[in-house]
Amino acid sequence: MPTYAWTVIGAGPAGIAAVGRLLDHGIAPDEIAWIDPAFAGGDLSQKWRSVSSNTIVGTFLSFLNGSAAFGFSEAPRTPLQEIDPEDTCALGLVADPLVWVTQRLRERVHVLQTTATSLSLHNREWKIETQQRELTSRNVVLAVGAVPKKLDYPHLDEIPVEVALDPEKLADQSLDGATVAVFGSSHSSMIVLPNLLRHPVKRVINFYQSPLKYAVYLDDWILFDDTGLKGRAADWARENIDGVYPERLERCWVSGPEFREKLDACDRVVYTVGFQRRHLPETPQWGRLEYNQQNGIIAPGLFGLGIAFPEYAEDPYGFGQYRVGLKKFMDYLDSILPLWLRYGP
Ligand SMILES: Cc1cc2nc3c(=O)[nH]c(=O)nc-3n(C[C@H](O)[C@H](O)[C@H](O)COP(=O)(O)OP(=O)(O)OC[C@H]3O[C@@H](n4cnc5c(N)ncnc54)[C@H](O)[C@@H]3O)c2cc1C
């Protein structure tokens, strides 16, 4: 059974960052195993290509240039580099370079195109079972991503969020005369609402819990960087939610007296209420494992990164948020990798 120094599970942006940074830190390529069923740029590339980003292009470029091992300076010029670095863009423009970087890293490290199913610690090494075969590794990085959360209103016919966010996929839904409930006030909500209103729906009712929150760009930090609306979603929300509701849009507070009646008037539903960690490989020695939200440590030699295990950090005014985004994963990794390199079993 082959033994590696490091195994990275997941090849979304976080897994890509982990492999790149391990190579940058001098871990030999043949000491690194990388596991993913697709190696296609993660969910950003496979589900969210048509979504307008909340991050500016310059921040994506700084992620792509952030690891020497990515070799991005040698990549063919991409449309992302033609856009004003201060603008936002469709996530597809970020996905293509991510796929290019993935291909480049795949040529160097040992790749297993499969799903990891279980992890256990024996004799100071992690045994990793996959759908194909077993391997052992002194350290493992879990970068398995997250799936959209749902609420439980089974009488409503759900439009999955990845469909509602994608105008082409949404066009295949029969929405004539539908009354669509949209739960949430997130970046995704503010993209789904105008997408739906472009169709001949009868009504869209946006069910919300609290006032909208907007990111504010200050000199060297961003207020509500992770929880606030940005880019086109923020522009749309200011005009249409905190401004004048477009025709056929209603809003309803989920704790208000009208909630039940409004919900009963709906026949379709979209949940834009955040994300939850994807199902992890089993860890039968311990059951469900927790992670340290400040350094990603799960167990000796087992670490979490990316949207499944986000850093929790406070802004200069003490407001705490989970840090999610490509550049944030890279910055976080830079601060914690020196610890991880010394915290083996
Ligand atoms: C609508 C929307 C807009 C966004 N906009 C931005 C933005 O503007 N800027 C920004 O920086 N971020 C943005 N994000 C966030 C960003 O897309 C995600 O946070 C990021 O893609 C998560 O990367 P990840 O690598 O943690 O997870 P994922 O991309 O989900 O990758 C996880 C990978 O792990 C694999 N995997 C899972 N389990 C296993 C297993 N057991 N074995 C092997 N492989 C496994 C999966 O198949 C997948 O390939 C946005 C997200 C959404 C939903």
Side-chain angles (χ1 to χ4, degrees):
M1 198 191 320
T3 297
Y4 298 90
W6 287 83
T7 297
V8 176
I9 300 179
I16 294 170
V19 172
R21 270 287 181 247
L22 286 167
L23 290 166
D24 293 346
H25 274 262
I27 308 295
D30 58 3
E31 288 274 276
I32 299 175
W34 195 12
I35 307 176
D36 189 282
F39 289 99
D43 283 1
L44 186 149
S45 170
Q46 295 172 89
K47 290 188 181 166
W48 316 121
R49 277 182 175 255
S50 62
V51 176
S52 168
S53 72
N54 50 40
T55 302
I56 57 172
V57 168
T59 308
F60 288 129
L61 290 174
S62 106
F63 171 87
L64 291 163
N65 288 308
S67 160
F70 289 177
F72 188 61
S73 57
E74 292 158 34
R77 210 167 160 76
T78 76
L80 186 69
Q81 287 151 303
E82 310 299 331
I83 299 177
D84 180 345
E86 296 298 317
D87 269 353
T88 55
C89 66
L91 289 176
L93 296 191
V94 187
D96 290 333
L98 283 176
V99 172
W100 186 89
V101 168
T102 304
Q103 191 51 40
R104 195 180 156 106
L105 295 174
R106 281 186 71 163
E107 286 162 10
R108 299 185 62 192
V109 303
H110 187 89
V111 160
L112 285 92
Q113 189 151 350
T114 184
T115 299
T117 50
S118 94
L119 288 169
S120 50
L121 182 60
H122 305 278
N123 204 10
R124 301 183 67 188
E125 282 178 346
W126 289 92
K127 184 170 87 170
I128 304 164
E129 288 178 28
T130 75
Q131 285 174 347
Q132 282 174 9
R133 62 179 180 79
E134 263 177 42
L135 61 153
T136 53
S137 185
R138 287 196 292 284
N139 300 280
V140 179
V141 179
L142 283 173
V144 295
V147 289
K149 278 189 205 162
K150 295 181 185 209
L151 303 174
D152 189 19
Y153 296 109
H155 65 290
L156 298 176
D157 181 11
E158 187 189 347
I159 307 170
V161 64
E162 55 264 37
V163 171
L165 281 168
D166 183 330
E168 265 181 39
K169 289 186 188 152
L170 193 58
D172 291 338
Q173 298 281 315
S174 75
L175 293 167
D176 272 26
T179 297
V180 188
V182 176
F183 281 86
S185 309
S186 60
H187 180 77
S188 301
S189 322
M190 298 306 145
I191 295 173
V192 165
L193 292 172
N195 279 358
L196 286 167
L197 289 167
R198 273 181 222 114
H199 289 268
V201 291
K202 183 172 162 203
R203 242 183 326 161
V204 176
I205 308 181
N206 179 211
F207 293 94
Y208 65 91
Q209 280 184 317
S210 45
L212 297 188
K213 206 184 270 178
Y214 297 94
V216 181
Y217 291 78
L218 302 165
D219 285 344
D220 56 355
W221 65 285
I222 303 171
L223 177 70
F224 303 142
D225 191 9
D226 295 275
T227 47
L229 297 170
K230 295 177 179 167
R232 292 198 187 156
D235 295 343
W236 189 87
R238 279 205 167 90
E239 286 289 324
N240 295 282
I241 300 290
D242 289 334
V244 178
Y245 292 170
E247 257 182 58
R248 298 179 294 140
L249 176 66
E250 279 179 40
R251 296 195 90 217
C252 175
W253 182 37
V254 291
S255 304
E258 291 184 311
F259 173 70
R260 202 66 243 183
E261 185 196 327
K262 294 279 182 201
L263 191 67
D264 286 345
C266 298
D267 36 50
R268 307 294 303 267
V269 65
V270 185
Y271 299 116
T272 52
V273 290
F275 287 81
Q276 65 189 25
R277 185 179 306 151
R278 206 172 249 125
H279 185 66
L280 294 180
E282 302 293 328
T283 46
Q285 282 160 302
W286 303 282
R288 189 188 150 84
L289 291 174
E290 297 303 325
Y291 78 110
N292 182 307
Q293 300 184 358
Q294 274 75 37
N295 60 31
I297 291 173
I298 301 171
L302 182 63
F303 311 102
L305 186 69
I307 192 170
F309 300 97
E311 175 191 18
Y312 184 79
E314 290 185 354
D315 74 13
Y317 288 84
F319 174 67
Q321 306 163 88
Y322 289 99
R323 312 278 291 147
V324 171
L326 276 56
K327 176 73 166 57
K328 291 166 194 162
F329 300 156
M330 184 70 92
D331 291 347
Y332 179 47
L333 193 53
D334 281 343
S335 77
I336 56 185
L337 194 53
L339 289 183
W340 291 7
L341 289 163
R342 301 185 58 172
Y343 198 69

